[in-house]
Amino acid sequence: MNSKWIPTVCYHCKAECPILARVEDGVLKEIRGNPRARGKACVKGMAGVSLEYSPDRLTRPLKRVGKRGEGKFEPCSWDEALHAITGKLSDLRDRGDAHKLTASFFPHSISDPKWRFLNAYGGFINTALPHCDSAKIVACIKAMGGVPNHHIPPNFASVPRGGVVILAGRHAMGCLDDAAVPRDILNAKDRGAILVVIDPIFTADAAKADWWIPIRPSGDTALFTGMTHHIVMNGLYNKGFAHNWIREGDFEKLRVYLADKTPEAMSKICDVPAQDIVKLAEMCASAPSVGVDSFKGIMLGQALDFGHAWTNFLAVTGNIDNPGGQPLPDLTPLSPVLPAPAGPDLAAKGWHRTGPDKDTFGKYSFIMEPTWYEAQAIKNGDLKVLITAECNPALTEMGQEEWRKAVTMTNDKGEYQLEMLVSYEIMLSDTARYADYVLPDKSYFERWELLYMPWWYNFGHGVALRQPVVEAPGECRHSNEVFIELGKRLCPEYFAFKDDLEYYDIQLAGLGLSVDKLQEMGGIWSPGTTGFRKYEQNGFGTPSKKVHLYWEDLKDVNQAMPRVGLAPEYEANAGEFPYILISYRTIFHQGSGQWTHNNPQLRDPIGGLMENPLLINTATAKKLGIEDGALVSVRSRTGKLKVRAKCTERIRPDCLGLHHGFGATVGRVAVLGEGVSDNILIPDAGMTLDWQDVVGGESHVSTRVTVEG
Ligand code: SF4
């Protein structure tokens, strides 16, 4: 028997943890975290074996034979599918409409060849997750400089004794980030760190916390600002950091701004007692470190204001780029693949990066929800070909109904307004149901991929290699291989390299590496440290080289300092819709639907979730006459659904909770008919356009609802 452990990288969710895969005679048997990479595997990661051998795996390209959405397909050859796709893309470019191609995908890395194809062809990139933490990234850049990167949590492994770890609306033990995070937080606790969880739901994180603060949704900006008030006004701030590293004049402006933001005043907004705001502030001011892990702000995404309050708090407590504090990422010097395509000149076409119309979208700072954007662009005639990979807009984003309507919309001649929809999938999804061609993708156990991270949780910056550990079934091809093939056919001058491996070799040359060498090294390269207080060498990446508390460029919109009021969604329609619906996650399911939901190990009735009941506080249920397990009707201003109630003390009485990602209409789950889609209830960006720029990122992930027995 030939059995070996092979290092690679998990992708059962978007965290991409370093793992080891045990392969026996060519069959994947077991998965565990890669100890050399400090890695851990969560329950989803370990259940990747079932995903790999799922009977739902697609093994041949499919061509639509029914109407879009009917889900009727017949097998076709790769030649036929690629011929049809290149034909359509040639035609689009000949019409001068190359920018009317959009690809939606999860950006594993800027080294991903999909980016290159879109830049070379002239298409538009619309990532699969544009909104989660974009406002916090913007806050990080404005305040501290730094490299734009997907959510950067504190380095929990470096939290010193007595350090404070704050999880604010962050379900770290749901592994939204890295399976090593829970281990590192619990180890930090064992070393004497204090864990504070700020969340309207009593999550798995709250169960491990020293202190759970059930905040009012959207109250996080007020809470952090109240703490900053107490710290600054009582002289508890980090004087060394403030004196040396906050831009001249900003601290005085902060004092003026904070004058009326007392803990008492902030308490009225966030519904956290003033004495608790003071207690937490004093705990943080006297701790050797404070790390705040958040994502997009708590539940009602007033994300930019929260991001700003968060950076102000970190600056006054001196918790930037220190052990246990907020890391600042570095770039890895990969080599460019030449010639580098310039990318489409979208501004010249009257476009803005957040949408097809510069006049409408130009003022929005953030990348809009892909589902909403795609729906609008199809309706406007600005999106003609859509390619999706590893994302599921028909189910997992607010506005799913708008998207479904838009992709089935026809013109006067009865032709689809969206001329072609292509979906790469390892198994059928709600999105694939609408596709003209469904292409069978390789799983993460079957493909090569160079993952480049400005900040990798376990190492700081570095690169990691995902490598095939087993053969792909049937005719599966990885989307990156196919995008390279499309590039060779449509823009060969930019695709002169042989294949994906040669493409990665060129990039790795900048590090003195190659794919072979990286493989020999165990698949990971990193300088081996996140590095701390790097700013002491060259200052921060801001124009002044110091931390900016006051954002002059947002003075016009009254956001030079964070606004502490609740998000518009909290205030809107409170009469008709008295409860806040919170969309949350657990460790058993990733957000995209089919991979975890069709996995029997993760849908086990004891260990995992079969369905997503509505969490309702026991007292609220009693007031409404709702019994545990009763079928209830939940309604928002966008939709209505029926779901079973789960009465619990573990949620605020003014909130209701639904686990995100359920409600698939395709696959085993759909056959069982279990679970509901929270997105039916949550308004899309189009309903809140006037808030979009105000709140930052997505306008919300939660909404107001009413519930009836
Ligand atoms: S958090 Fe779990 S499922 Fe996600 S990549 Fe890591 S091990 Fe895999």
Side-chain angles (χ1 to χ4, degrees):
M1 184 175 67
N2 177 8
S3 177
K4 55 188 171 185
W5 286 95
I6 305 172
T8 187
V9 181
C10 185
Y11 187 61
H12 207 160
C13 81
K14 302 204 185 296
E16 314 213 56
C17 300
I19 53 167
L20 295 174
R22 185 166 70 81
V23 176
E24 211 175 275
D25 295 329
V27 178
L28 177 65
K29 292 284 185 182
E30 195 181 345
I31 289 152
R32 70 179 192 206
N34 183 346
R36 192 191 148 260
R38 300 184 59 257
K40 285 274 178 193
C42 77
V43 64
K44 293 189 297 296
M46 290 186 279
V49 179
S50 307
L51 178 71
E52 176 64 24
Y53 297 116
S54 167
D56 296 331
R57 285 289 304 270
L58 293 169
T59 55
R60 296 181 65 184
L62 300 176
K63 179 170 74 170
R64 177 174 60 81
V65 290
K67 290 185 185 156
R68 280 194 190 151
E70 280 185 349
K72 291 187 187 155
F73 299 99
E74 67 181 25
C76 69
S77 68
W78 270 105
D79 271 355
E80 183 184 344
L82 287 177
H83 184 73
I85 295 165
T86 44
K88 175 54 75 182
L89 290 177
S90 296
D91 174 41
L92 194 69
R93 190 169 57 182
D94 291 347
R95 280 151 43 189
D97 282 344
H99 59 292
K100 295 184 180 176
L101 161 71
T102 286
S104 248
F105 57 89
F106 176 68
H108 293 278
S109 165
I110 53 173
S111 57
D112 193 320
K114 296 194 245 347
W115 296 105
R116 183 176 186 84
F117 173 77
L118 287 161
N119 281 336
Y121 172 82
F124 189 73
I125 297 162
N126 184 35
T127 69
L129 74 166
H131 45 49
C132 295
D133 52 356
S134 52
K136 247 186 85 198
I137 293 168
V138 170
C140 193
I141 295 167
K142 280 180 182 295
M144 317 172 204
V147 181
N149 188 20
H150 182 54
H151 161 251
I152 307 157
N155 181 335
F156 297 110
S158 68
V159 177
R161 174 181 296 277
V164 176
V165 173
I166 298 180
L167 303 179
R170 176 79 184 145
H171 303 153
M173 296 192 193
C175 282
L176 268 174
D177 200 43
D178 188 305
V181 164
R183 180 264 323 261
D184 287 352
I185 292 175
L186 296 177
N187 282 351
K189 272 197 71 177
D190 285 348
R191 291 194 301 276
I194 299 159
L195 175 61
V196 180
V197 170
I198 301 169
D199 202 303
I201 298 186
F202 187 87
T203 57
D205 308 80
K208 298 286 182 192
D210 297 286
W211 188 5
W212 171 48
I213 300 178
I215 193 171
R216 174 178 284 154
S218 177
D220 41 0
T221 308
L223 172 67
F224 277 82
T225 302
M227 286 201 287
T228 304
H229 171 103
H230 187 78
I231 288 167
V232 168
M233 299 308 190
N234 291 284
L236 304 176
Y237 56 93
N238 183 323
K239 296 178 183 70
F241 188 89
H243 184 255
N244 292 316
W245 294 109
I246 291 178
R247 180 174 53 172
E248 203 174 320
D250 275 24
F251 200 77
E252 289 63 41
K253 287 183 177 135
L254 180 70
R255 268 184 190 282
V256 172
Y257 157 79
L258 288 172
D260 60 350
K261 314 281 185 309
T262 61
E264 290 73 22
M266 297 302 98
S267 168
K268 292 194 178 84
I269 299 170
C270 64
D271 199 25
V272 176
Q275 65 268 28
D276 285 352
I277 298 177
V278 169
K279 181 177 151 190
L280 186 58
E282 292 185 353
M283 185 191 285
C284 292
S286 61
S289 77
V290 185
V292 181
D293 196 1
S294 178
F295 205 44
K296 49 195 153 197
I298 294 176
M299 307 311 161
L300 287 168
Q302 198 173 4
L304 187 60
D305 286 309
F306 170 69
H308 197 166
W310 164 73
T311 53
N312 285 351
F313 171 82
L314 294 175
V316 301
T317 56
N319 280 293
I320 299 177
D321 221 20
N322 57 321
Q326 178 59 33
L328 288 180
D330 257 354
L331 281 170
T332 296
L334 292 179
S335 292
V337 181
L338 299 172
D345 187 351
L346 294 170
K349 306 255 180 216
W351 277 40
H352 183 264
R353 73 186 177 95
T354 58
D357 176 350
K358 184 160 64 66
D359 294 336
T360 304
F361 298 97
K363 67 183 195 299
Y364 297 104
S365 327
F366 303 100
I367 304 166
M368 307 279 270
E369 295 153 18
T371 310
W372 181 83
Y373 152 73
E374 283 161 13
Q376 302 318 302
I378 292 165
K379 287 185 210 160
N380 295 347
D382 285 323
L383 175 54
K384 292 297 179 189
V385 179
L386 174 60
I387 305 179
T388 66
E390 293 174 341
C391 64
N392 192 4
L395 182 71
T396 55
E397 302 274 348
M398 55 289 281
Q400 64 180 53
E401 293 305 312
E402 278 301 293
W403 189 92
R404 291 176 187 211
K405 271 188 230 156
V407 299
T408 51
M409 188 179 277
T410 51
N411 63 18
D412 299 345
K413 295 183 205 147
E415 297 156 339
Y416 287 118
Q417 188 97 323
L418 177 70
E419 294 173 18
M420 182 176 273
L421 174 54
V422 178
S423 173
Y424 287 91
E425 303 281 359
I426 68 163
M427 58 179 63
L428 279 179
S429 67
D430 282 72
T431 297
R433 210 159 57 101
Y434 292 83
D436 302 309
Y437 287 93
V438 183
L439 304 179
D441 209 350
K442 285 182 178 171
S443 81
Y444 55 93
F445 296 111
E446 299 156 2
R447 68 198 196 215
W448 293 103
E449 222 166 352
L450 179 65
L451 304 174
Y452 158 71
M453 307 283 175
W455 196 83
W456 186 279
Y457 177 77
N458 287 303
F459 294 108
H461 64 288
V463 292
L465 190 67
R466 178 172 286 133
Q467 57 180 320
V469 300
V470 290
E471 291 285 323
E475 299 172 19
C476 293
R477 290 190 201 172
H478 183 216
S479 56
N480 284 0
E481 296 170 45
V482 179
F483 269 97
I484 289 172
E485 175 63 29
L486 293 175
K488 284 177 182 291
R489 294 185 187 202
L490 288 159
C491 20
E493 64 276 29
Y494 294 110
F495 287 85
F497 44 88
K498 186 166 146 256
D499 55 17
D500 51 347
L501 286 176
E502 190 173 322
Y503 179 71
Y504 300 141
D505 273 344
I506 297 168
Q507 292 174 316
L508 283 169
L511 298 171
L513 293 174
S514 63
V515 169
D516 284 351
K517 206 161 165 191
L518 191 54
Q519 201 179 14
E520 281 165 27
M521 291 164 59
I524 292 192
W525 174 90
S526 162
T529 172
T530 53
F532 293 117
R533 299 194 176 91
K534 299 180 285 294
Y535 56 83
E536 287 178 351
Q537 305 301 315
N538 301 311
F540 286 90
T542 53
S544 71
K545 302 275 178 203
K546 303 237 172 140
V547 175
H548 292 187
L549 306 181
Y550 184 85
W551 299 351
E552 320 41 29
D553 56 325
L554 294 184
K555 202 171 158 198
D556 285 0
V557 286
N558 190 29
Q559 271 182 280
M561 282 290 184
R563 292 151 317 158
V564 292
L566 299 174
E569 175 69 12
Y570 195 95
E571 311 283 12
N573 311 304
E576 187 179 357
F577 302 109
Y579 302 100
I580 299 283
L581 177 80
I582 292 172
S583 167
Y584 72 100
R585 300 180 190 208
T586 64
I587 200 166
F588 301 104
H589 294 295
Q590 41 95 291
S592 296
Q594 74 276 21
W595 290 10
T596 53
H597 290 256
N598 286 330
N599 188 322
Q601 279 184 293
L602 296 170
R603 289 172 53 74
D604 179 90
I606 299 167
L609 292 171
M610 297 293 282
E611 57 180 12
N612 55 344
L614 182 79
L615 302 187
I616 180 167
N617 184 279
T618 310
T620 307
K622 194 169 171 201
K623 192 175 84 188
L624 297 174
I626 292 171
E627 297 203 345
D628 190 45
L631 201 58
V632 296
S633 173
V634 188
R635 187 168 55 84
S636 74
R637 62 204 168 103
T638 61
K640 187 174 172 179
L641 50 80
K642 285 208 176 276
V643 58
R644 295 216 175 269
K646 170 82 188 146
C647 299
T648 174
E649 303 286 337
R650 298 180 167 206
I651 187 165
R652 279 176 62 104
D654 56 355
C655 294
L656 303 169
L658 261 188
H659 192 304
H660 174 71
F662 282 77
T665 60
V666 176
R668 273 148 220 279
V669 191
V671 173
L672 296 170
E674 292 164 345
V676 294
S677 171
D678 53 345
N679 285 324
I680 288 172
L681 298 169
I682 300 173
D684 63 21
M687 291 190 72
T688 52
L689 262 191
D690 50 338
W691 304 349
Q692 197 75 31
D693 215 36
V694 178
V695 299
E698 61 191 315
S699 52
H700 43 236
V701 287
S702 301
T703 194
R704 281 202 164 274
V705 294
T706 185
V707 58
E708 287 155 12

